[in-house]
Amino acid sequence: MSTLSIRRTSAATSPAPGIRSTPEYAKLIDIGSCIGCKGCEVACKEWNDLKVEPTANFGSYQSHQDLSAHTWVLMRFDEVEMSGRLQWLITKDACLHCEEPGCLYACPAPGAIVQYENGIVDINQDRCIGCQYCVTGCPFDIPRFDRDTKKVYKCNMCVDRVDAGLEPACVKTCPTHAISWGSKEDMLALADQKVDLLRRRGFENPVTYNPAGIGGTHMMYVVPHGDRLADYRLPATPTASPAPLTGLGALKRIGAYVLGFGVLSSLVHYLTIGPQTAEDVPADEH
Amino acid sequence: MSTRSELVPRFSSAQRLVHWAVGLSFTLLLLTGLAFSYPALFWLTHLLGGGTSAMVLHPWVGVVFSAAMGATFVMWVRDMRLGAADRRWLRAIQAYARHDTGHVPPAGKYNGGQKLFFWAQTLLALVFLVSGLALWFPGAIAAVVPAASTLLASMRLLHYLATLAGGLLLTLHVYLGLFAFPGTARGMVDGKVSRAWAALHHPAWRPDTDPVTTTRDAERR
């Protein structure tokens, strides 16, 4: 995607170059409409040409145990008990494309993580140095490190398709329209409708998952049991503040002054008091 | 009576080797560490071959640094016990900085400031080692610790704070040894200092009976 569209860039020393005003996109996952077919997983692998990872049955309907550098989306299946009944919770686990991206704030490599005007957060692997600070900075545990390339990978919202005016591959393939795609505004309105529908059908706490702590996300969920977010593995109040722990923000500025002060005071000492040469000091003064 | 310009041994060859192993490895670690902390200094990663290469090599240089610091500790710890005389010297540190020699209590082979420096760098080396290992293997931490992100973020904070402290110590060390007191750095090059230097900075040190340097270097003098 064009540099004209870059709104934020990691470890930047100058403002991001983006000047385009494009609509913000969002993907909406209606968990209640998902039938768990994993078509989105396959579409993601196909479009992005990601290698197949052998997997084994581990007592779940889930395909893989975890996300990986080659598996950017994973349908997680969790069996939990609710009001004495077994509930099968499905979550489409992938990058949420945060408005305030913790990965980008934590990244020390200039330009390795960018956020486009349309809200997509993308990793430029050619600039990634493999420090994995983004893994620590992400409130959703999404980025995955690849040992062979020593780079980090995650869902890029099919940025190449979106750039060409297409929807992401997972959206296109979903047979039940559980995944919707459009402007963030439209998707928020659609989410409201879906939440209303769920409420009318007897769900007590349906919610739209678009957490405010990170300024909202560009992949949102309609969660049927909004009071059980932890069971969907969704943090209730994720944060990605650039300071003090992830980006070390203001602290680093203070640190720079402290180091500069150290060097400067040495210089001042040298220029005012000056060096002391032992041979110049008379022996009786010792 | 020996002349004031006569040279006396101060550091053994092993001590000098270890000193430079610590010094060079720490300088590399500091510069690449600052590169990872400050985008404006990212170009310093080229000292170790660029971003990814520096990221891969930084911890290995850390291994060299840690080993050298271990050797430093073993070689110097007996000389570095802080006593009452050192506390008196430390109280007069401002007079020392002003070259007001008359008001500085006589120091032995190492003054109170050098001893404090030794313990500070030992503590920092431990902080660097523990936090550095965690940052080197974040995957291993995540596999065993539930709140790995918070732990790793704290480790980064610790590693950064230790970098600041270490950077200040290095600045002070280089300034004093190389600029403020001419004749000091030589002790870490050919291991010798002048009698005048010894009498000014370490009047209570007896170079002729110092066990560290007299054993092997004495006959070469």
Side-chain angles (χ1 to χ4, degrees):
Chain A
M1 194 173 271
S2 160
T3 48
L4 290 176
S5 306
I6 295 175
R7 178 165 67 188
R8 276 202 185 97
T9 173
S10 60
T13 50
S14 59
I19 49 164
R20 277 190 177 153
S21 53
T22 56
E24 282 192 30
Y25 287 116
K27 196 154 73 179
L28 181 68
I29 319 290
D30 178 10
I31 290 176
S33 302
C34 175
I35 55 170
C37 71
K38 306 190 196 78
C40 52
E41 287 187 19
V42 177
C44 175
K45 289 250 177 197
E46 280 199 323
W47 179 259
N48 294 298
D49 291 320
L50 299 171
K51 77 171 180 194
V52 172
E53 292 180 299
T55 180
N57 188 333
F58 56 97
S60 165
Y61 195 54
Q62 201 168 308
S63 63
H64 302 74
Q65 299 250 21
D66 197 9
L67 291 169
S68 80
H70 307 276
T71 301
W72 297 349
V73 53
L74 177 63
M75 300 310 293
R76 294 191 184 272
F77 293 80
D78 291 294
E79 292 170 13
V80 298
E81 213 179 280
M82 279 184 197
S83 332
R85 289 174 59 204
L86 190 70
Q87 287 283 334
W88 207 22
L89 306 184
I90 311 176
T91 320
K92 185 179 189 284
D93 194 17
C95 178
L96 282 85
H97 299 271
C98 308
E99 181 63 26
E100 301 275 339
C103 57
L104 189 151
Y105 291 152
C107 177
I113 305 186
V114 295
Q115 183 184 48
Y116 297 112
E117 300 278 8
N118 63 16
I120 294 177
V121 178
D122 197 9
I123 300 179
N124 285 324
Q125 277 82 12
D126 57 336
R127 301 208 178 168
C128 169
I129 60 172
C131 66
Q132 304 176 61
Y133 286 5
C134 57
V135 179
T136 311
C138 173
F140 300 103
D141 184 30
I142 298 298
R144 290 291 182 274
F145 180 68
D146 185 78
R147 284 176 181 283
D148 298 328
T149 63
K150 302 205 186 304
K151 311 283 179 195
V152 171
Y153 301 82
K154 68 165 189 69
C155 159
N156 63 5
M157 200 77 112
C158 290
V159 63
D160 45 353
R161 291 177 58 90
V162 173
D163 202 23
L166 300 169
E167 71 279 64
C170 59
V171 180
K172 184 171 171 89
T173 206
C174 181
T176 63
H177 297 292
I179 316 176
S180 308
W181 173 254
S183 73
K184 171 112 189 194
E185 216 180 325
D186 288 351
M187 290 304 107
L188 279 171
L190 183 61
D192 284 347
Q193 290 175 25
K194 288 179 182 280
V195 164
D196 275 350
L197 186 65
L198 283 169
R199 204 168 275 132
R200 273 185 273 130
R201 285 172 50 194
F203 286 86
E204 284 167 13
N205 297 296
V207 295
T208 304
Y209 188 79
N210 178 37
I214 45 176
T217 58
H218 293 88
M219 178 171 95
M220 303 183 289
Y221 297 98
V222 173
V223 185
H225 303 283
D227 51 335
R228 305 286 293 261
L229 286 177
D231 289 328
Y232 291 94
R233 300 161 185 266
L234 293 172
T237 52
T239 52
S241 106
L245 286 181
T246 48
L248 296 175
L251 180 67
K252 277 188 188 162
R253 195 167 300 167
I254 297 169
Y257 291 139
V258 169
L259 279 181
F261 177 78
V263 174
L264 270 182
S265 29
S266 298
L267 190 65
V268 167
H269 182 272
Y270 194 77
L271 295 176
T272 53
I273 296 172
Q276 184 186 30
T277 307
E279 278 72 7
D280 298 342
V281 181
D284 54 356
E285 271 189 29
H286 289 166
Chain B
M1 185 64 197
S2 46
T3 63
R4 283 163 44 80
S5 58
E6 189 200 357
L7 296 172
V8 290
R10 180 162 170 83
F11 296 115
S12 71
S13 49
Q15 282 179 320
R16 279 175 274 147
L17 276 174
V18 164
H19 168 267
W20 286 108
V22 170
L24 292 175
S25 60
F26 185 72
T27 304
L28 264 182
L29 288 167
L30 178 69
L31 294 177
T32 51
L34 288 175
F36 299 138
S37 299
Y38 294 96
L41 298 179
F42 192 76
W43 55 275
L44 284 170
T45 55
H46 286 287
L47 289 171
L48 287 179
T52 307
S53 166
M55 198 69 233
V56 170
L57 292 176
H58 180 98
W60 286 105
V61 179
V63 169
V64 173
F65 170 74
S66 299
M69 277 304 297
T72 301
F73 187 81
V74 171
M75 282 179 178
W76 267 279
V77 65
R78 267 179 301 146
D79 287 330
M80 292 299 171
R81 294 209 187 93
L82 280 152
D86 298 311
R87 279 190 283 278
R88 276 197 299 280
W89 189 95
L90 283 168
R91 274 196 290 275
I93 199 161
Q94 287 191 339
Y96 187 72
R98 285 192 309 264
H99 309 325
D100 184 3
T101 325
H103 290 96
V104 182
K109 184 169 184 182
Y110 300 102
N111 63 42
Q114 288 169 317
K115 292 182 182 181
L116 217 54
F117 186 98
F118 172 84
W119 290 108
Q121 70 168 12
T122 301
L123 176 73
L124 287 178
L126 285 175
V127 174
F128 278 129
L129 180 66
V130 172
S131 58
L133 278 174
L135 294 173
W136 197 5
F137 302 107
I141 300 288
V144 289
V145 184
S149 285
T150 313
L151 179 75
L152 286 168
S154 319
M155 290 296 140
R156 272 175 55 203
L157 178 65
L158 270 182
H159 211 75
Y160 174 74
L161 291 177
T163 305
L164 276 192
L168 284 178
L169 283 187
L170 183 70
T171 306
L172 183 71
H173 183 75
V174 169
Y175 175 62
L176 292 180
L178 224 48
F179 299 102
F181 300 121
T184 308
R186 169 163 200 174
M188 274 302 168
V189 181
D190 64 2
K192 298 182 180 74
V193 289
S194 70
R195 282 198 187 275
W197 183 93
L200 173 64
H201 293 288
H202 303 277
W205 173 42
R206 299 284 164 262
D208 302 297
T209 54
D210 183 349
V212 175
T213 45
T214 47
T215 45
R216 218 171 338 136
D217 293 338
E219 60 270 25
R220 260 186 278 155
R221 227 181 317 148

